[in-house]
Amino acid sequence: MRGLHDRARRLYLVGLVAAIGLLAFAVRWSLIRYDTSDYREFLRPWYEFIIQHGGFRALREDFSDYNVPYRYLLVVLTYLPLPPQGAVKALSVLFDAVAAYFTYRIVALKYRSRWTPAVAALLVFMLPTVVLNGAMWAQCDSIYASFALGGVYHLLRRQPWLACVFIGLAVSFKLQAIFILPLLLAMVLLGRVPWRALLAIPAVYLVLDLPAIVLGADPIRLLTIYPRQSGIYPEMTLNAPSVWQFFRGVRDTGVMHTAGVLVTVLLVLTICLLLLLARTEPTEPRILLIATVFVILVPYVLPSMHERYFYLADLFTVVLAFYFPRRLWYVPIGVQFASLLGYIPGIFESPGGERAVGPVDFRVLAAIELAMLIAVSYYAIREFRHPDQVRDDDGGFARSPEVARAGGST
């Protein structure tokens, strides 16, 4: 009878998970036809340009300010029997699922049960910002974010070369993947990643550019696309819940931009130095703590950040909460709240075509984001002040890397 009861319970849980997953897809399907200014002004013209210029032959032209890997995917979409808007959004939804998959794999390193990682994956797949970003807004942040999660997963598995390949893929799709690069610098200093493995990042970038160059694209334009992107927006913040919400009256943006970048670099190097001086073993929980600190800190301090640039923070805080459920459970809630309300002006428009006004003063959102950054940083400091004993959130010992690779649990 007990065996029958257990099988019935498993079937019920499987059915429940499947139903939630299907519901998440249904929500996305209901948003597919929603039209945004970003799609009308950028993505649809790019899509039409590709069709008008012969599919893959269009890659020789400089028709988009996105790097060529995303253009490759757009070209492939034009050969499919799908409406343009649906195709673009379906691509992002596909990578929503990839991000959920790597969330599952990372959380599965801690828990023996399959259900806890499955819950984590479902939560990531159902995050409001994840749903709205791709299915409603037609953005593609899930692509670079899923590769960044994959890179961290392989880093936790002590596979540094694969980790750098995945990070290279992330950087090749969007510049915002650099928010995770300070983690690699810290891991190099702590001996977790050999410095030679970092060469995989530019190697992946260059290899992905080669097909477009062979087709006739200007290599200089391709290799300098990110420096050109960084100079497009002079504003100190573009609806991002960052520190620059408190400096709205600043006029000399050139000086402040430079100061903001230098302060960000200084903070990153200071954290890396403190980690090196701590001489603490970079266990799985600690690596995730470091990663989460960086993906919140860097977009919080850098100038000219968009509201979507906390996308990595949205995902990593969920993963971190499953590693420290008793102490950091509220962090993904706070980060998601700030990110979600920041999305409103970008997604919704007034009848006159102007962007909507956010329902909350963005300084409040910036304060919430700062509070979450302080919470994660404080807990990271506590963890690194005890080098002789690595405790997990329940007071036990974290699994050794050998146990993690074997898939076991203490």
Side-chain angles (χ1 to χ4, degrees):
M1 288 296 294
R2 181 175 179 81
L4 182 61
H5 174 74
D6 289 341
R7 284 195 296 273
R9 180 174 177 271
R10 282 196 295 270
L11 286 174
Y12 171 77
L13 290 174
V14 169
L16 181 61
V17 169
I20 294 173
L22 289 173
L23 181 60
F25 275 109
V27 171
R28 286 170 165 84
W29 177 257
S30 70
L31 298 172
I32 287 293
R33 295 184 180 180
Y34 186 85
D35 202 17
T36 64
S37 59
D38 280 16
Y39 173 76
R40 292 192 305 272
E41 296 173 13
F42 300 102
L43 291 162
R44 187 170 65 190
W46 298 346
Y47 201 96
E48 292 172 350
F49 183 94
I50 293 170
I51 294 174
Q52 294 166 4
H53 289 77
F56 281 101
R57 289 193 296 275
L59 292 170
R60 70 183 66 174
E61 306 292 340
D62 190 23
F63 63 89
S64 168
D65 62 352
Y66 275 30
N67 200 17
V68 287
Y70 185 68
R71 300 185 209 178
Y72 297 152
L73 297 180
L74 286 182
V75 170
V76 172
L77 292 178
T78 63
Y79 287 92
L80 300 178
L82 297 172
Q85 186 167 250
V88 169
K89 292 186 175 184
L91 177 64
S92 296
V93 171
L94 172 63
F95 280 93
D96 291 351
V98 176
Y101 167 77
F102 279 115
T103 298
Y104 178 94
R105 298 301 298 270
I106 292 173
V107 176
L109 294 175
K110 176 177 173 63
Y111 295 93
R112 177 180 296 173
S113 168
R114 296 180 180 178
W115 296 112
T116 303
V119 170
L122 278 175
L123 283 177
V124 162
F125 193 64
M126 294 188 302
L127 280 178
T129 51
V130 172
V131 174
L132 297 179
N133 185 283
M136 190 172 188
W137 206 348
Q139 300 291 347
C140 61
D141 295 280
S142 60
I143 300 179
Y144 83 86
S146 61
F147 286 129
L149 281 171
V152 171
Y153 168 71
H154 289 292
L155 182 62
L156 298 176
R157 293 292 306 272
R158 292 185 176 270
Q159 298 168 326
W161 283 92
L162 264 178
C164 290
V165 167
F166 270 81
I167 299 298
L169 288 169
V171 172
S172 298
F173 273 92
K174 291 204 77 173
L175 179 60
Q176 289 71 50
I178 63 170
F179 302 157
I180 200 67
L181 291 184
L183 172 66
L184 289 181
L185 174 60
M187 293 301 100
V188 169
L189 294 175
L190 294 176
R192 185 76 176 233
V193 173
W195 69 266
R196 292 183 299 277
L198 298 181
L199 298 175
I201 298 175
V204 169
Y205 187 98
L206 292 173
V207 167
L208 289 177
D209 275 0
L210 282 178
I213 294 173
V214 170
L215 289 168
D218 183 350
I220 302 300
R221 296 285 295 178
L222 292 184
L223 295 175
T224 59
I225 192 167
Y226 287 157
R228 286 185 285 114
Q229 277 184 7
S230 62
I232 293 176
Y233 300 101
E235 298 91 341
M236 297 305 294
T237 177
L238 295 98
N239 295 326
S242 70
V243 67
W244 299 105
Q245 291 291 346
F246 301 109
F247 297 90
R248 294 178 179 176
V250 173
R251 293 185 178 181
D252 193 355
T253 56
V255 173
M256 293 303 292
H257 265 82
T258 303
V261 172
L262 292 177
V263 168
T264 305
V265 173
L266 179 62
L267 287 172
V268 167
L269 293 179
T270 300
I271 292 173
C272 290
L273 177 61
L274 293 175
L275 292 172
L276 183 61
L277 294 176
R279 297 181 180 180
T280 305
E281 172 68 19
T283 59
E284 295 167 8
R286 288 173 175 171
I287 290 173
L288 288 172
L289 277 167
I290 299 169
T292 307
V293 167
F294 282 134
V295 297
I296 301 177
L297 172 69
V298 176
Y300 190 79
V301 183
L302 271 180
S304 297
M305 296 290 100
H306 290 251
E307 62 288 295
R308 295 178 288 106
Y309 292 1
F310 286 89
Y311 195 92
L312 282 178
D314 295 344
L315 304 186
F316 273 91
T317 50
V318 172
V319 174
L320 188 68
F322 277 85
Y323 272 75
F324 301 96
R326 294 183 182 177
R327 292 182 173 89
L328 297 178
W329 59 268
Y330 59 89
V331 172
I333 299 174
V335 169
Q336 183 65 197
F337 180 81
S339 294
L340 180 61
L341 293 187
Y343 271 38
I344 290 176
I347 295 179
F348 298 101
E349 299 174 1
S350 66
E354 295 105 4
R355 291 196 167 192
V357 177
V360 177
D361 190 319
F362 273 74
R363 287 171 292 190
V364 174
L365 302 184
I368 293 173
E369 198 79 50
L370 178 60
M372 299 302 102
L373 173 60
I374 291 172
V376 176
S377 301
Y378 172 75
Y379 198 70
I381 292 170
R382 286 188 56 189
E383 285 292 304
F384 278 89
R385 287 182 63 186
H386 301 281
D388 299 326
Q389 182 171 306
V390 182
R391 296 174 300 172
D392 66 15
D393 190 60
D394 296 320
F397 289 91
R399 294 186 303 168
S400 68
E402 290 76 14
V403 174
R405 287 196 296 273
S409 176
T410 54

